[in-house]
Amino acid sequence: MIVNPSVFGHIGTVSAIEGGVCAPKGFFAGGVRCGIKAGGSKRDLALIGSERPCVSAAVFTANRVQAANITVSREHARSGRIRALIANSGNANACTGAAGLEAARRMAALAAEKLGIPEVETAVASTGVIGVPLPMERIEAAMNELTASVGAGAAENDAALEAIMTTDTRKKAGAVVVDLPSPANQKTDPAPRISSMAAGAGSGVITIGAVCKGSGMIHPNMGTMICVITTDAAVSPPALDRALRRAVNRSFNRLTIDGDMSTNDMAIIMANGAAGNIPVEYGGPAWELFADALEGLCVSLAREMARDGEGATRLMTVTVAGAESEEAAAVLARSVAASNLVKTAIFGADANWGRVLCALGYAGAACGSAAEPGFLRSRAAGTETAFNPEKISVAFTSTAGRIEVFREGAPLSFSEAAAKTILLEDEITIEVTLGRGKGAASAWGCDLSYGYIEINGDYRS
Amino acid sequence: MIVNPSVFGHIGTVSAIEGGVCAPKGFFAGGVRCGIKAGGSKRDLALIGSERPCVSAAVFTANRVQAANITVSREHARSGRIRALIANSGNANACTGAAGLEAARRMAALAAEKLGIPEVETAVASTGVIGVPLPMERIEAAMNELTASVGAGAAENDAALEAIMTTDTRKKAGAVVVDLPSPANQKTDPAPRISSMAAGAGSGVITIGAVCKGSGMIHPNMGTMICVITTDAAVSPPALDRALRRAVNRSFNRLTIDGDMSTNDMAIIMANGAAGNIPVEYGGPAWELFADALEGLCVSLAREMARDGEGATRLMTVTVAGAESEEAAAVLARSVAASNLVKTAIFGADANWGRVLCALGYAGAACGSAAEPGFLRSRAAGTETAFNPEKISVAFTSTAGRIEVFREGAPLSFSEAAAKTILLEDEITIEVTLGRGKGAASAWGCDLSYGYIEINGDYRS
């Protein structure tokens, strides 16, 4: 796991280390096989938790069709005190009606009972096939083994991670150690954004760790993206919530594998304060550093998910700079990363800048307006001034080089052979500059290959 | 061409006939090869027009990156008097800067000069590769041959159609004859929506014809959807404009091949009044019938484009009923038709209703909110009451039968073998009912196959 250093621009230090959810102090994890997944010997039931009470924050899928575990976890998350998560793979517990909701509540209750904590301090994650009743008897029968399996080592982290994976081909985990600025250092911040209330907050060395699964926004028959983040930092509830939301918006929300959104997606962070730092409050440089470190960790996991996208042969990063705002840049970057025509061009190692321009052009209109939705309009849109194709430049880059193909509205002549050499690498970047403002954002995706069709077209055949 | 009879619910009659843009009285068409398309002997320059002045209406792509011909046509269309269209294939004249704009104006001027009409009464369409200067000298050299080639027969219609096709594998054209209600009949309308002003307007027999190209919202290296519609009806400008907009919104705007939107899309209708009918005014039963006939024609062409989608092996219709409004139903239907996971499932003849539900669930959220865009939300959306998964039912149908797989929020057990038999047909329908209101809409698309990857991934290799 490599944290993208470019996201760190503050005082203090952030170091990537090996590890996952057990890297921070006071957390444990475990995973066993209870038999939900058909055949094989893969684990399918996981438990991740903290030895002490936590402050928590969580985000859930915006899909209106939600799995039962999302309903229960959302309820519990309102406590802001989630300290344990029980998760299964092999069954999404989605579209399973009242019995499914009962099963999700039962999973939470089982975890709470074994850990001796209130049910409202537990979350539940499920991933796998939908519309099939969750075999609660197998989960119940495995609970003793599950609680006996937990520990704080790399093996236990990996066991928990394996138990939430479905068609993932890579294990996705990471951790960072953050040396939060001391009050003395904070005073030397050349551009202090520190409020008097937050002054001095945060000092200390803390660790953030995470495990993550997902190789499509949906997996065959409804999978999910699940990200479980732990930290031993002491963080105030609003500071934690804002840090998670910003990190998710800049990482998982800028990831697109196939444009589909799961019924089961969730990302959760539990902070147990075991590091003994001065609590991080929202608004000061300690928060900025904490939030940046969390964002870097989430971005690295988002990139790993894109690389592991169904059928993917290449990781594609789209960077947009010079937009009016970060959000405008993100909308444009996501539109390019999500375009089937861009994705197939990248699969073919084809520097097809026309498709990039086209996806930029329809980004703002893709949703249509309430008055006149759709592709064709009978009037020139009044917002056209927000986007000037004549200032767009496009380049393709990889470790094999950089080639500019379009500059300020005009195509450049370039060597197709040189472009192909660049695009045949495993990681490629499409760079877009707009020349309008200072807004910048990245989005991540992958190519669209025969493998995607094979995985998703032949899946149940 | 078969007009979907279900769209006609008014007095008067509509009959589908063979033909295209030359079916209505007083129109001509022609097509020649001028050499824009590399190699081969395919035509690439077309002219379609009316012998007498027209009232016109047009809609253009909402993509902010627009080809030069769109800019010029949009300007000219403001006259409301377009009576001729010149079109080329093999070159989209997009991203070609000031020279491209000059070329598009020159094309319009050449057509106007040959026909002896004002330039503002001409439109220009281009489709093909982008970023390559349009070889105007070839177009200029072919103008005499082009104008000599025009006629009003089936051969001339086909020549014009061939000259605007790119990777289309089928010719898409159609025509309908409409017997507009006489004033006497209008009085017997059991549910009169007729205004006193419009009473009696419209009587007479009129014809509408069309040709169309497109097999992806974008073709390799930027193609386009072009639809040219002619009618000999006398229609007032506002009546024509509203009829075209409604027809396009219910047909081409509900078509999705790959979710990408071209820089060159346009649909135009020219009405020359040669039928001698009492002019159709907006608001009466004559307008309703005219608009329905136009819509039926556009829907049939949209279905033909979906069937001819790049790599398509099946035509997929998604019907949504029981929504709060037609627009809500259309958003949901389009979301299902555009889902890569639904499309790959249909390719695999897999009755994967979970993916259908999932695409319904994220339809409203796909655009995000301004405050909190993206896939993951930290709050329950306030709009969740607008959509109740517990009332959803889903069925798959084809000529081989109908199978319900999900009823009022719960999965049904069904025969996978029977479902596969149904889904192996060339045309399949996904039926969704929501149980909320009376809004209904259809969307059209196709499956996502290895062929799509081959066409778009290997295209420039």
Side-chain angles (χ1 to χ4, degrees), chain A residues 11-47:
Chain A
I11 53 175
T13 64
V14 177
S15 314
I17 60 169
E18 293 287 316
V21 287
C22 296
K25 292 176 199 157
F27 286 93
F28 54 83
V32 298
R33 170 166 175 76
C34 75
I36 299 175
K37 275 181 182 162
S41 59
K42 281 195 179 164
R43 291 181 174 88
D44 51 15
L45 189 62
L47 186 64

Side-chain angles (χ1 to χ4, degrees), chain A residues 60 62-64 218 222 245 253 260-261 339-340 350 354 358 361-362 367 375-378 383 416 457 460, chain B residues 60 62-64 218 222 245 253 260-261 339-340 348 350 354 358 361-362 367 375-378 383 416 460:
Chain A
F60 300 96
N63 196 311
R64 283 182 179 161
I218 300 184
M222 296 244 170
R245 279 210 255 168
N253 278 345
D260 280 281
M261 183 201 305
S339 159
N340 276 355
D350 176 8
C358 189
Y362 65 67
C367 301
F375 296 111
L376 292 161
R377 310 286 175 93
S378 54
T383 52
E416 292 280 356
R460 282 179 30 160
Chain B
F60 300 96
N63 196 312
R64 284 184 179 161
I218 299 184
M222 295 242 170
R245 279 209 255 168
N253 278 345
D260 281 280
M261 182 202 304
S339 159
N340 275 354
D350 176 9
C358 190
Y362 65 68
C367 301
F375 296 111
L376 291 161
R377 309 285 174 93
S378 54
T383 52
E416 292 280 355
R460 283 180 27 163

Side-chain angles (χ1 to χ4, degrees), chain A residues 58-66 74 95 130-131 217-218 220-222 225 245 248-249 252-253 255 258-263 265-267 310 327 334 339-341 344-345 347-348 350-355 357-358 361-362 365 367 372-380 383-384 386-387 389 406 411 414 416 420 448-450 452-454 456-461, chain B residues 58-66 74 95 130-131 217-218 220-222 225 245 248-249 252-253 255 258-263 265-266 310 327 334 339-341 344-345 347-348 350-355 357-358 361-362 365 367 372-380 383-384 386-387 389 406 409 411 414 416 420 448-450 452-454 456-461:
Chain A
V59 290
F60 300 96
T61 180
N63 196 311
R64 283 182 179 161
V65 177
Q66 294 187 356
R74 201 188 283 274
C95 302
I130 69 160
M217 286 310 281
I218 300 184
N221 236 4
M222 296 244 170
M225 189 210 88
R245 279 210 255 168
V248 167
N249 273 340
F252 307 128
N253 278 345
L255 166 71
D258 52 17
D260 280 281
M261 183 201 305
S262 163
T263 55
D265 290 337
M266 69 185 286
E310 291 174 343
E327 189 44 45
R334 272 205 303 250
S339 159
N340 276 355
L341 287 171
T344 47
F347 174 61
D350 176 8
N352 200 318
W353 54 267
R355 296 181 184 174
L357 280 181
C358 189
Y362 65 67
C367 301
E372 198 172 3
F375 296 111
L376 292 161
R377 310 286 175 93
S378 54
R379 292 184 297 272
T383 52
E384 269 172 25
F387 188 88
F406 196 79
F414 61 90
E416 292 280 356
K420 189 155 288 273
L448 176 58
S449 73
Y450 295 107
Y452 181 85
I453 310 290
E454 186 176 355
N456 291 298
D458 297 348
Y459 161 69
R460 282 179 30 160
S461 300
Chain B
V59 290
F60 300 96
T61 180
N63 196 312
R64 284 184 179 161
V65 177
Q66 294 186 357
R74 199 189 285 274
C95 302
I130 68 160
M217 289 309 281
I218 299 184
N221 234 8
M222 295 242 170
M225 188 208 89
R245 279 209 255 168
V248 166
N249 272 340
F252 308 127
N253 278 345
L255 165 70
D258 53 16
D260 281 280
M261 182 202 304
S262 164
T263 54
D265 290 337
M266 68 185 287
E310 291 174 342
E327 189 44 45
R334 272 206 303 247
S339 159
N340 275 354
L341 286 170
T344 47
F347 174 61
D350 176 9
N352 201 320
W353 54 267
R355 296 181 185 175
L357 280 181
C358 190
Y362 65 68
C367 301
E372 198 170 6
F375 296 111
L376 291 161
R377 309 285 174 93
S378 54
R379 293 183 295 271
T383 52
E384 270 172 24
F387 188 88
F406 196 79
F414 63 91
E416 292 280 355
K420 188 155 290 273
L448 176 58
S449 74
Y450 295 108
Y452 181 85
I453 309 289
E454 187 176 354
N456 291 298
D458 296 348
Y459 160 69
R460 283 180 27 163
S461 302

Side-chain angles (χ1 to χ4, degrees), chain A residues 211-294:
Chain A
V211 294
C212 179
K213 73 135 294 203
S215 72
M217 286 310 281
I218 300 184
H219 261 321
N221 236 4
M222 296 244 170
T224 180
M225 189 210 88
I226 299 172
C227 183
V228 185
I229 311 165
T230 57
T231 180
D232 51 20
V235 191
S236 77
L240 190 67
D241 187 62
R242 285 172 187 250
L244 179 67
R245 279 210 255 168
R246 198 185 76 172
V248 167
N249 273 340
R250 290 181 175 171
S251 57
F252 307 128
N253 278 345
R254 292 184 188 168
L255 166 71
T256 173
I257 304 297
D258 52 17
D260 280 281
M261 183 201 305
S262 163
T263 55
N264 290 51
D265 290 337
M266 69 185 286
I268 188 167
I269 184 167
M270 301 179 276
N272 70 4
N277 61 302
I278 301 170
V280 175
E281 298 288 345
Y282 176 66
W287 182 84
E288 294 282 352
L289 190 65
F290 175 80
D292 276 1
L294 179 62

Side-chain angles (χ1 to χ4, degrees), chain A residues 124-457:
Chain A
V124 185
S126 295
T127 175
V129 296
I130 69 160
V132 175
L134 192 62
M136 274 308 299
E137 69 288 355
R138 295 185 194 174
I139 293 173
E140 302 227 13
M143 284 306 295
N144 283 339
E145 188 191 351
L146 180 64
T147 45
S149 79
V150 302
E156 288 86 358
N157 177 82
D158 284 0
L161 178 49
E162 181 190 306
I164 60 171
M165 286 166 66
T166 52
T167 59
D168 303 66
T169 67
R170 297 157 176 263
K171 288 191 176 175
K172 303 164 195 100
V176 288
V177 174
V178 187
D179 190 356
L180 293 171
S182 72
N185 283 340
Q186 290 186 24
K187 284 176 192 155
T188 67
D189 186 351
R193 269 168 292 185
I194 186 171
S195 72
S196 57
M197 193 189 81
S203 305
V205 175
I206 65 97
T207 301
I208 312 174
V211 294
C212 179
K213 73 135 294 203
S215 72
M217 286 310 281
I218 300 184
H219 261 321
N221 236 4
M222 296 244 170
T224 180
M225 189 210 88
I226 299 172
C227 183
V228 185
I229 311 165
T230 57
T231 180
D232 51 20
V235 191
S236 77
L240 190 67
D241 187 62
R242 285 172 187 250
L244 179 67
R245 279 210 255 168
R246 198 185 76 172
V248 167
N249 273 340
R250 290 181 175 171
S251 57
F252 307 128
N253 278 345
R254 292 184 188 168
L255 166 71
T256 173
I257 304 297
D258 52 17
D260 280 281
M261 183 201 305
S262 163
T263 55
N264 290 51
D265 290 337
M266 69 185 286
I268 188 167
I269 184 167
M270 301 179 276
N272 70 4
N277 61 302
I278 301 170
V280 175
E281 298 288 345
Y282 176 66
W287 182 84
E288 294 282 352
L289 190 65
F290 175 80
D292 276 1
L294 179 62
E295 180 181 324
L297 184 59
C298 290
V299 165
S300 74
L301 293 170
R303 286 169 56 91
E304 289 304 304
M305 282 195 282
R307 192 194 308 278
D308 199 20
E310 291 174 343
T313 71
R314 300 203 165 84
L315 167 64
M316 169 172 66
T317 302
V318 180
T319 64
V320 173
E324 286 183 322
S325 66
E326 178 187 331
E327 189 44 45
V331 166
L332 292 164
R334 272 205 303 250
S335 182
V336 174
S339 159
N340 276 355
L341 287 171
V342 171
K343 287 155 64 75
T344 47
I346 296 304
F347 174 61
D350 176 8
N352 200 318
W353 54 267
R355 296 181 184 174
V356 174
L357 280 181
C358 189
L360 291 169
Y362 65 67
C367 301
S369 68
E372 198 172 3
F375 296 111
L376 292 161
R377 310 286 175 93
S378 54
R379 292 184 297 272
T383 52
E384 269 172 25
T385 52
F387 188 88
N388 186 350
E390 290 175 16
K391 290 191 173 177
I392 298 177
S393 298
V394 178
F396 294 95
T397 69
S398 75
T399 52
R402 179 175 189 279
I403 196 157
E404 196 176 16
V405 293
F406 196 79
R407 185 185 296 161
E408 295 185 0
L412 301 175
S413 63
F414 61 90
S415 157
E416 292 280 356
K420 189 155 288 273
T421 302
I422 289 167
L423 293 175
L424 282 170
E425 293 294 310
D426 290 345
E427 294 189 19
I428 68 101
T429 299
I430 302 174
E431 294 178 5
V432 177
T433 55
L434 300 177
R436 282 194 64 78
K438 301 197 170 186
S442 295
W444 298 273
C446 58
D447 55 344
L448 176 58
S449 73
Y450 295 107
Y452 181 85
I453 310 290
E454 186 176 355
I455 291 170
N456 291 298

